[in-house]
Amino acid sequence: MSSRSFAVIGLGNFGSTVATELERFGNHVIGVDIDETRVSRHADKLGEAIILDARDDEALKEAGIGEVDMALVAVGDNLESSILAAVNLRQVGAGAVWAKATTRTHHRILSRIGVDRVIHPEVEIGQRIAQVMHNPLVRDYVGLGNGFFVVNLKVPEELEDTTLSKLNHVDKFDLRCLGVMRGTKFLGQDGDDCTLKAGDLLLMLGERNNLRDFSASL
C-alpha cells in the first residue's frame, strides 16, 4: 500500500498513538496540538509536529492541513474545540475527516456537520475486551457494519484432527470461514480439505448472535 498523508489534531494518549502508528506504517503525519509540551514530545516521531489552534482555519491552511488525504480530530474533552476543528478541516479541504466523540450529543453534532466517521475509542475497545474476556477462545474481533463481524477464534484441544467441514458452521450457524492459520502459515478456508490442530486460528465471518452461538459450541 502506498504511503498517504494524515493530520492528527490533538496529541493526547489517543491521538499520539494513532499518529505514531500511522508514521510507523510509512505515512507522512502532521501532528497538531495547542500544547507546546505535547508537540515537542512528538517532534522526532512524526513527519511534522506543529503548535497550532485548530479552531483557526487560516492557521490550518498555512500549515498545509488542507492538502492531507485524511484528518483525525482526536480532541474529545473540549466539545467546542472538537466541533470547530472538524468544521475547519472541511473548510480547508482535508480529504476525509474522522473525529473522536465522547457523548451521544457530540456524536450527533459531528455527524450533522459532515464528519465522515465518528469513533468512540473507549467504547470500541471496551466492547472488544469484553468479548475476549467473555469467551477465552475469542482472540479478537472486528465489526464490519450492518450487524456483521469477523472473529478470530482459537481451536480448542477437543477439535484436534477435526476437519473444517465437520464444524457445520455454514449450515447450522450461517457463518463463513475466511481462513485457518497455524502460526504464520495459511492452511485454507471454506471449500478446502483442512484438518485442524489445537491452537489453530479460525477467521469467521457472520452475524454477532451466530458467531456467539458458534463459539459457545466449540
Side-chain angles (χ1 to χ4, degrees):
M1 183 179 293
S2 60
S3 63
R4 295 188 292 164
S5 58
F6 295 86
V8 176
I9 313 299
L11 295 175
N13 290 332
F14 172 63
S16 62
T17 299
V18 173
T20 52
E21 282 296 289
L22 286 171
E23 187 77 30
R24 188 173 65 86
F25 293 153
N27 301 289
H28 179 74
V29 180
I30 305 173
V32 173
D33 203 290
I34 199 169
D35 187 307
E36 181 179 355
T37 302
R38 286 181 175 177
V39 171
S40 60
R41 192 183 300 146
H42 295 89
D44 59 346
K45 300 176 184 178
L46 304 177
E48 298 178 59
I50 303 172
I51 304 169
L52 187 152
D53 187 345
R55 292 174 296 183
D56 184 344
D57 60 340
E58 287 299 323
L60 289 175
K61 276 184 186 177
E62 292 177 10
I65 304 297
E67 300 172 13
V68 300
D69 297 312
M70 181 177 287
L72 168 68
V73 180
V75 179
D77 55 350
N78 187 316
L79 190 64
E80 178 189 357
S81 295
S82 169
I83 294 168
L84 287 177
V87 170
N88 286 339
L89 287 168
R90 277 280 176 236
Q91 287 283 107
V92 301
V97 179
W98 289 23
K100 171 185 175 181
T102 54
T103 66
R104 289 184 178 179
T105 299
H106 192 182
H107 184 128
R108 189 160 54 245
I109 294 171
L110 290 170
S111 297
R112 287 181 177 176
I113 63 177
V115 167
D116 294 289
R117 180 168 176 178
V118 182
I119 53 178
H120 297 262
E122 292 85 359
V123 173
E124 292 175 15
I125 292 299
Q127 290 173 339
R128 180 171 297 182
I129 290 174
Q131 287 284 344
V132 175
M133 292 177 69
H134 175 69
N135 189 331
L137 296 180
V138 175
R139 314 302 293 175
D140 204 353
Y141 87 106
V142 177
L144 302 180
N146 297 320
F148 283 85
F149 295 80
V150 174
V151 173
N152 198 346
L153 294 167
K154 185 178 180 181
V155 174
E157 292 182 3
E158 292 78 7
L159 293 181
E160 179 84 21
D161 294 328
T162 300
T163 60
L164 179 60
S165 59
K166 291 286 182 65
L167 296 182
N168 201 26
H169 56 282
V170 177
D171 294 334
K172 187 174 181 180
F173 299 97
D174 194 25
L175 303 179
R176 299 295 179 272
C177 180
L178 304 180
V180 180
M181 297 293 295
R182 184 172 298 155
T184 59
K185 184 179 179 183
F186 178 80
L187 301 180
Q189 57 190 351
D190 279 341
D192 294 335
D193 185 19
C194 181
T195 301
L196 304 174
K197 297 293 183 182
D200 288 349
L201 296 178
L202 303 173
L203 200 61
M204 309 298 295
L205 166 67
E207 295 183 81
R208 184 197 295 271
N209 290 341
N210 293 340
L211 287 164
R212 183 188 59 209
D213 293 344
F214 171 72
S215 63
S217 74
L218 296 180

